Amino acid sequence: MIDQRTAPYAFLILRLALGLLFLAHGGLKVFVFTPAGTAQYFESLGLPPALAYLTMTLEMAGGIALIVGLYARLAALALMPILLGGIVSVHGAAGFFFTNPNGGWEFPALWIVGLAAVVLGGDGALALRPTFRERAGA
């Protein structure tokens, strides 16, 4: 049974945690590896360098959207392909455990599950702009 009184706060906590993780992950690419360095890394994987810039933008914007609750369900949905791409292009070959060399796919997969919970469960409490609004008379 879902506790309808506390469920919105559970999704708020999940949204905040996921958003902060995306800001940290995107910030690492922007401020530590640098955008040019991240683009080079993407190119070394056989990916278009422009995809690095799109990824950094989505991670930072998506993180902010999750934190403030700006269409959080759509933001969560939009961020899932980034993690799937990371599993396919980098982490999948490293095995399951994230402690493996090159990091396995354990953490990105868990991250996807958290995003899926937001997509399915809702924006949560204190969302700035909920994804769906109830229609009058519905």
Side-chain angles (χ1 to χ4, degrees):
M1 189 63 133
I2 296 173
D3 187 333
Q4 298 297 327
R5 295 169 298 149
T6 59
Y9 298 99
F11 285 106
L12 168 64
I13 292 167
L14 184 57
R15 231 182 52 222
L16 292 173
L18 292 168
L20 288 171
L21 284 170
F22 270 104
L23 280 182
H25 203 71
L28 183 69
K29 288 179 178 77
V30 172
F31 300 112
V32 176
F33 302 139
T34 74
T38 302
Q40 268 186 313
Y41 179 67
F42 273 55
E43 190 171 28
S44 78
L45 296 172
L47 300 169
L51 187 59
Y53 295 98
L54 177 62
T55 299
M56 288 181 279
T57 301
L58 286 173
E59 285 180 348
M60 299 298 280
I64 292 168
L66 287 170
I67 290 168
V68 300
L70 182 63
Y71 306 111
R73 295 172 90 172
L74 295 177
L77 187 63
L79 290 166
M80 291 170 125
I82 292 172
L83 296 166
L84 287 170
I87 290 171
V88 170
S89 63
V90 179
H91 301 292
F96 176 73
F97 294 104
F98 204 68
T99 55
N100 291 348
N102 296 323
W105 55 273
E106 168 185 24
F107 180 64
L110 178 61
W111 212 345
I112 291 169
V113 171
L115 291 170
V118 171
V119 170
L120 295 172
D123 299 285
L126 306 176
L128 185 64
R129 290 265 188 238
T131 304
F132 303 111
R133 297 203 184 266
E134 290 186 31
R135 294 183 308 195

